[in-house]
Amino acid sequence: MLNGLNHLTLAVSDLSRSVHFYQSTLGLRLHARWDHGAYLSAGGLWLCLSHDPRRTDAAGADYTHYAFTIAGSDFADFVQAMRKAGIVEWKDNRSEGASFYFLDPDGHQLEAHVGDLASRLQACRDRPYAGMQFFD
């Protein structure tokens, strides 16, 4: 059912420093930035930087997670199967596109997500986050 890595979300302690690093040092393309985050890309990789004051070295202490793409037509069956298997959910979805946030057996925070960077950016254009700017 899962058909690829969807995006990476990295919790960061200093958003400006991280945007500078990923954009200027590594050469990722900056698409949008707001008070608490930024969207960048490198080829087909969508990277979200999310300021999180809880950012520590402790596993599970912040919003860092790894998202996999799933087709909308498979999403409900996937969620049902995960819940039936007793998979632990770690977060409720509050953003564009259907998402199911779950833990692997070692506690890694994962997500199955319907959508892509383009659909997220359009949703943000319709309802921008506080302080959001676009760089197209």
Side-chain angles (χ1 to χ4, degrees), residues 41-52:
S41 67
L45 172 66
W46 163 17
L47 176 67
C48 174
L49 301 178
S50 179
H51 177 257
D52 192 332

Side-chain angles (χ1 to χ4, degrees), residues 5-12 15 18-24 26-34 37-50 63-67 116-118 120-121 132:
L5 186 62
N6 188 278
H7 67 274
L8 296 179
T9 297
L10 302 178
V12 298
L15 182 62
S18 294
V19 168
H20 175 77
F21 174 78
Y22 283 97
Q23 182 182 23
S24 299
L26 297 184
L28 275 67
R29 180 175 175 211
L30 180 64
H31 293 275
R33 180 177 173 166
W34 61 99
Y39 292 138
L40 301 100
S41 67
L45 172 66
W46 163 17
L47 176 67
C48 174
L49 301 178
S50 179
Y63 188 55
T64 297
H65 66 279
Y66 308 95
D116 57 17
L117 177 57
R120 177 64 55 85
L121 286 170
M132 189 166 224

Side-chain angles (χ1 to χ4, degrees), residues 9 17 22 25 28 33-34 39 51-52 68 71-72 85 99 119 125-126 135-136:
T9 297
R17 180 183 68 189
Y22 283 97
T25 305
L28 275 67
R33 180 177 173 166
W34 61 99
Y39 292 138
H51 177 257
D52 192 332
F68 297 91
S99 285
S119 63
R125 288 182 196 289
D126 295 340
F135 301 96
D136 291 333

